[in-house]
Amino acid sequence: MYWQSILTITLTALTLLSCSSSKQDDPFIPEPNDNVGIAFGGNNGTWQDAPTTRATGTGLETLFPTFRVWGYKTTSTTAAAPSAPETVMDGYIVRHYSGTAGSTESNTTGWEYAGIQNTALSSIQTIKYWDYSATSYRFFAYSPSDTQAVSAQASDSKSFSFSFPFAYSDATTATTLPYISELWFALPASSGSVSTPASSYGSCVTLTFAPLIAKVRFKFSYPEGADAVVIKDIQFRDSRFIADPTTATTPLRGTITATYPLQGIPTSSSPTLSWTTTDTAEGSGASSTGPLILTIPYEEEGDRIHNVSDKSLYGKWYYVPPFNAIPYSQGAYTITANIDGRYASATVPEEFMQWKAGYQYTYIFKITEAGTVINFSDLQVEKWLTGSNIDNNGSGTEDW
């Protein structure tokens, strides 16, 4: 089901970049008695910022200081005698310590796992070394390490999954929900396989983290020269449920599961996402489905015109269910508002409302004719690529 690049408007995923020293940048061929410790590193851009404002050189630690990682190796990959995965790391906690890069074999850029007490294992974590006789390695993780999650290996040992509870809230922020990694997979350098990543055995494990959900905002553009346009009673919602919001079937609560393969050579680094609807107890006040209504436009403090009175709500994003994983198809969305004392509305076609996990979406509405008319003018999605022709059924944006 999904996993494509992380969507957005910047949907730049958090990537743990190579942390190997320069001497390990080239294929590393160890001496017979060499012990090379497995290490993790991290430097990358952050998902929640647009490229025009995103600082470079930031890492996962700017969002979460920890992640929990699983690692497996195999010793045979033949079709006749496939190897069962052997555990290398069973939910190891990896923690970032500023200013400690290069201090140990297992810490080359500030991320450390050795010596950390792991209550789930009832032991202190020890350093792990690369096994150069192994026929494959794979690692995957979620962040932060204390995330409420259920991890499980399939009974046939062919896959491993993380399951996370999800409940939609318009108050959710970028760090309320966990991030998960893509699959890091490597074969020995001697295999000559195109599947072998640049940072393979002997180098730091590079993990790319991405959010489980999608990210949405809507903005207004105003007539040139306008000093003030007063917009009230804003509602941006599924057109099918405007007349009676109680009939809304939009999934709001459930469990998102990310599944990784443990055997064979993977065809993609993206985990498979699935959704299970959460049954709610009668009288609990929480429903698994309901209306999803966006009411706060995205504004910045330096904007010429403001309709958001609470400055703490500037930069408003909504963190919404990943409908490609559920799966669920939204209808067209209609925005309604009172603009300078007059009712106005505009509709976004349903093909532009199918939100994917890890993608960011910006809907832009143009106010014209002195505030009496509102038009849907543009959609920006994934890496800030703009759909130049909004009538092209989405073909103007990558991976739509």
Side-chain angles (χ1 to χ4, degrees):
M1 281 185 196
Y2 141 87
W3 165 263
Q4 338 204 25
S5 51
I6 265 191
L7 177 222
T8 129
I9 308 184
T10 245
L11 250 220
T12 296
L14 294 168
T15 303
L16 292 181
L17 301 182
S18 174
C19 58
S20 61
S21 64
S22 59
K23 69 179 180 180
Q24 291 182 349
D25 289 342
D26 297 325
F28 181 78
I29 307 299
E31 295 296 327
N33 295 325
D34 278 356
N35 286 325
V36 180
I38 296 174
F40 299 87
N43 247 342
N44 54 269
T46 52
W47 178 60
Q48 72 270 29
D49 297 323
T52 53
T53 60
R54 175 167 52 89
T56 58
T58 57
L60 177 67
E61 66 273 14
T62 65
L63 292 180
F64 307 112
T66 64
F67 61 90
R68 189 179 293 271
V69 63
W70 278 255
Y72 290 85
K73 67 179 180 180
T74 58
T75 55
S76 172
T77 57
T78 63
S83 170
E86 298 179 21
T87 303
V88 177
M89 292 181 175
D90 186 13
Y92 263 35
I93 297 170
V94 185
R95 181 172 292 125
H96 187 267
Y97 298 95
S98 297
T100 63
S103 58
T104 69
E105 280 188 272
S106 51
N107 176 359
T108 58
T109 58
W111 291 94
E112 178 64 273
Y113 63 86
I116 294 176
Q117 178 70 43
N118 190 326
T119 56
L121 302 176
S122 300
S123 65
I124 295 176
Q125 297 171 172
T126 59
I127 188 171
K128 299 294 182 177
Y129 295 95
W130 290 104
D131 176 3
Y132 288 91
S133 67
T135 51
S136 73
Y137 268 94
R138 66 193 72 209
F139 293 91
F140 43 86
Y142 61 73
S143 182
S145 63
D146 60 354
T147 293
Q148 181 183 353
V150 175
S151 57
Q153 182 172 319
S155 58
D156 59 7
S157 297
K158 290 184 178 180
S159 64
F160 193 98
S161 64
F162 302 141
S163 295
F164 307 87
F166 172 87
Y168 171 75
S169 169
D170 60 10
T172 296
T173 68
T175 56
T176 302
L177 299 169
Y179 280 46
I180 60 173
S181 81
E182 293 184 348
L183 173 67
W184 187 96
F185 177 80
L187 299 171
S190 60
S191 69
S193 170
V194 295
S195 299
T196 302
S199 54
S200 189
Y201 295 16
S203 298
C204 290
V205 175
T206 62
L207 293 175
T208 298
F209 285 87
L212 283 164
I213 42 69
K215 181 176 172 182
V216 172
R217 67 178 176 178
F218 68 96
K219 303 169 65 175
F220 294 115
S221 67
Y222 299 97
E224 185 176 354
D227 295 324
V229 176
V230 179
I231 306 179
K232 298 180 179 180
D233 305 324
I234 303 167
Q235 292 196 324
F236 186 31
R237 52 192 165 165
D238 196 315
S239 307
R240 298 173 298 180
F241 312 122
I242 290 178
D244 185 0
T246 63
T247 64
T249 58
T250 307
L252 300 179
R253 300 173 63 88
T255 299
I256 303 174
T257 299
T259 302
Y260 301 83
L262 289 185
Q263 296 184 16
I265 298 177
T267 57
S268 171
S269 61
S270 301
T272 300
L273 296 188
S274 59
W275 169 278
T276 303
T277 297
T278 299
D279 294 326
T280 54
E282 184 176 355
S284 67
S287 176
S288 59
T289 62
L292 196 161
I293 304 174
L294 314 184
T295 60
I296 303 171
Y298 182 94
E299 293 183 356
E300 296 181 353
E301 189 167 359
D303 288 348
R304 175 168 48 96
I305 296 175
H306 285 287
N307 278 285
V308 176
S309 57
D310 184 351
K311 292 184 178 181
S312 68
L313 296 177
Y314 287 167
K316 178 63 177 179
W317 284 95
Y318 289 87
Y319 298 84
V320 297
F323 293 134
N324 63 310
I326 295 178
Y328 177 81
S329 295
Q330 297 197 111
Y333 259 50
T334 297
I335 187 169
T336 58
N338 183 309
I339 305 177
D340 285 344
R342 300 184 182 183
Y343 174 86
S345 67
T347 298
V348 181
E350 64 179 273
E351 57 262 34
F352 298 113
M353 304 308 302
Q354 307 311 318
W355 302 327
K356 298 178 181 180
Y359 281 72
Q360 297 179 180
Y361 301 80
T362 294
Y363 299 91
I364 300 176
F365 298 96
K366 185 177 182 180
I367 308 300
T368 61
E369 298 181 19
T372 60
V373 177
I374 183 172
N375 293 308
F376 171 48
S377 66
D378 200 9
L379 166 65
Q380 296 176 338
V381 59
E382 187 178 12
K383 297 181 181 177
W384 294 95
L385 296 180
T386 300
S388 57
N389 178 3
I390 208 64
D391 297 321
N392 64 0
N393 293 321
S395 61
T397 54
E398 183 179 346
D399 291 337
W400 183 257

